[in-house]
Amino acid sequence: MDYIPLLVLIISFVGLLAIGTPVAWSIAISSMLTLLVSVPSLPALATISQRMATGLDSFALLAIPFFILSGELMNHGGIAHRLIAFAKTLVGALPGGLALINIISAMFMGAIAGSAMASASAMGSILGPEMEKEGYDKGFSTAVNITSATTGLVIPPSNILIVYSLASGGASIAALFLAGYIPGLITGLLLMVVAMFWAKKKGYGTGERSTLGQVFKTFVDAVPSLFLLVLVIGGIVAGIFTATEASAIAVLYSLVLGFIYKQITFKKLPNIFLNASATTAVVMLLIAASMSMSWALSFEHIPQDISAGLLSITDNKVALLLIINVILLLVGVFMDITPAVLIFTPIFLPVVTKLGIDPVHFGIIMILNLCIGLCTPPVGSVLFVGIGVAKTSIEKVIKPLLPLFVAMIVALFLITYIPALALWLPGLFGL
């Protein structure tokens, strides 16, 4: 194995990040420097530029800007208030009721909007002040909001599942979407258990028990929002439309719903489109740069060398999955989820498929794992959104975050070592 390209890649990438270079440019520049080990400068520059452009030439990737726009429309369309009202009637009377409402609402909102940051922003701004008024510690309420927001990246429709499908070379998006439901629900339930224990320990009160009539009324109010999930996932699984076509339908549906709820007006649309465009630009630049790095890695045979190295350590499935999970947990601390999926999928997927692990199962493992990194400093984007919305500090959030991290890691290991939790639903629908 030639270690020089790998060393150049690691040293240049870490060095660029250390001096404050944006992540996308750090990826692109380190990819070019890696290629310079064995290719002259002009072809290396031309190849990286070409790979960045062709990396975005994919019909499946069109789903991402549409889902981002539908998420923005949902975020401004009065969806969050109705989901919170429905969640309140379900769990408001339990210990730590407001924390549980936050988790359930985030699962709904994240699934509908497909964005952890949109969920953290919406839930934090609406529920944060209410939790503080009821005597909840700000650090605890922020920690609950941050961790629960990530469940929407596993529960479909999810942009990152589409990115994984692209990086894996063709894992079924419909199968990935179905595979995300049970892992996402398990993660949410474990977060709720931890939140209830913490609330009991701290003496946080409970709300009033809701009547069946109140539950039914709030459910009816929330049905139009929840129907988006049925429309998008049902249409994809039934083969009526592709994920890209479903994303366009989601935009149209969420736009109409926003006007019906009178939360979106023509005056607000330019700002919504601008926000969606800015987010899309950032995501697409990361994808383009990461695709160039994936190609450079493949050209230098780095994935094959790492695969052979890992398999030389052990061919035990349990041990190898443990090693990969630990590596991904460390990666998630220092790298955002999109480039991490694009870069490390081609490295680890050949290893796990040799051991008979389903690519769909591994995709859920990888994304659930990297979601933990979104809640950790120094790069955790959801962490900083949650802290910004709550107007608090990392120091106050870290302590209550720790038991919630444990819940997420327990969920990760359950999904890792019980494949049926991810594969049962896709199998049920023949995917």
Side-chain angles (χ1 to χ4, degrees):
M1 175 179 178
D2 185 2
Y3 290 99
I4 294 175
L6 183 59
L7 287 172
V8 169
L9 179 72
I10 293 170
I11 292 168
S12 59
F13 180 63
V14 173
L16 287 163
L17 286 178
I19 61 173
T21 309
V23 175
W25 297 118
S26 297
I27 292 169
I29 294 167
S30 59
S31 302
M32 190 183 69
L33 293 173
T34 304
L35 213 54
L36 285 171
V37 172
S38 51
V39 176
S41 57
L42 191 58
L45 182 60
T47 300
I48 292 299
S49 303
Q50 182 190 44
R51 291 295 162 178
M52 287 181 72
T54 56
L56 296 178
D57 186 15
S58 167
F59 180 69
L61 280 179
L62 277 174
I64 292 177
F66 282 122
F67 276 131
I68 288 172
L69 178 55
S70 71
E72 280 290 328
L73 290 166
M74 286 284 179
N75 206 20
H76 291 83
I79 305 302
H81 289 281
R82 286 165 175 79
L83 295 177
I84 288 170
F86 177 46
K88 197 169 187 176
T89 60
L90 293 177
V91 294
L94 296 173
L98 285 175
L100 305 185
I101 291 165
N102 192 321
I103 294 167
I104 291 179
S105 302
M107 290 165 71
F108 285 143
M109 184 68 183
I112 291 168
S115 167
M117 288 192 284
S119 177
S121 176
M123 295 305 132
S125 57
I126 297 168
L127 279 171
E130 193 172 339
M131 291 176 79
E132 194 174 353
K133 191 166 64 178
E134 292 293 323
Y136 285 73
D137 176 69
K138 187 179 276 192
F140 169 69
S141 60
T142 306
V144 167
N145 183 39
I146 289 165
T147 50
S148 60
T150 63
T151 57
L153 296 179
V154 186
I155 301 172
S158 165
N159 290 333
I160 199 62
L161 289 172
I162 296 169
V163 171
Y164 172 80
S165 173
L166 177 73
S168 68
S172 165
I173 293 175
L176 285 165
F177 277 7
L178 285 174
Y181 276 113
I182 293 174
L185 290 172
I186 288 171
T187 306
L189 287 170
L190 289 172
L191 289 173
M192 288 172 69
V193 170
V194 171
M196 285 176 68
F197 274 109
W198 188 279
K200 272 193 169 184
K201 181 182 174 184
K202 297 293 182 180
Y204 298 139
T206 57
E208 294 179 6
R209 189 177 295 276
S210 300
T211 63
L212 283 175
Q214 289 171 319
V215 174
F216 180 74
K217 182 181 181 303
T218 56
F219 172 69
V220 170
D221 287 341
V223 160
S225 306
L226 296 172
F227 180 71
L228 179 63
L229 296 175
V230 178
L231 180 67
V232 171
I233 307 303
I236 294 171
V237 172
I240 299 170
F241 38 69
T242 65
T244 304
E245 292 161 348
S247 65
I249 291 166
V251 169
L252 183 62
Y253 184 85
S254 52
L255 181 63
V256 170
L257 203 59
F259 277 113
I260 290 171
Y261 286 159
K262 297 180 181 178
Q263 297 294 313
I264 292 176
T265 61
F266 286 107
K267 190 176 179 181
K268 290 180 180 179
L269 282 179
N271 191 47
I272 291 170
F273 289 143
L274 185 63
N275 289 340
S277 300
T279 305
T280 300
V282 171
V283 172
M284 288 303 189
L285 182 58
L286 278 169
I287 290 172
S290 300
M291 292 302 284
S292 73
M293 180 176 275
S294 294
W295 190 89
L297 288 168
S298 179
F299 181 81
E300 297 292 351
H301 303 290
I302 291 172
Q304 295 91 324
D305 291 338
I306 292 174
S307 175
L310 284 172
L311 289 170
S312 69
I313 295 170
T314 179
D315 60 357
N316 182 284
K317 190 187 293 188
V318 173
L320 203 56
L321 283 172
L322 179 62
I323 292 168
I324 291 172
N325 266 322
V326 170
I327 293 170
L328 287 174
L329 284 168
L330 292 172
V331 166
V333 171
F334 298 103
M335 189 181 289
D336 196 43
I337 191 167
T338 300
V341 166
L342 285 164
I343 292 165
F344 287 93
T345 299
I347 293 174
F348 291 134
L349 190 58
V351 182
V352 298
T353 50
K354 279 183 182 178
L355 297 176
I357 295 166
D358 191 289
V360 170
H361 178 212
F362 182 68
I364 301 300
I365 293 171
M366 174 175 263
I367 288 157
L368 195 58
N369 189 312
L370 293 171
C371 280
I372 299 170
L374 294 174
C375 310
T376 59
V379 180
S381 52
V382 178
L383 171 70
F384 292 111
V385 167
I387 285 171
V389 170
K391 297 181 176 61
T392 186
S393 64
I394 291 177
E395 291 78 13
K396 292 179 180 176
V397 174
I398 287 295
K399 187 177 177 181
L401 264 178
L402 294 177
L404 294 166
F405 280 152
V406 172
M408 294 178 81
I409 290 169
V410 169
L412 170 63
F413 279 91
L414 285 173
I415 305 309
T416 299
Y417 294 114
I418 309 176
L421 295 175
L423 298 177
W424 179 71
L425 272 179
L428 192 65
F429 287 88
L431 296 170

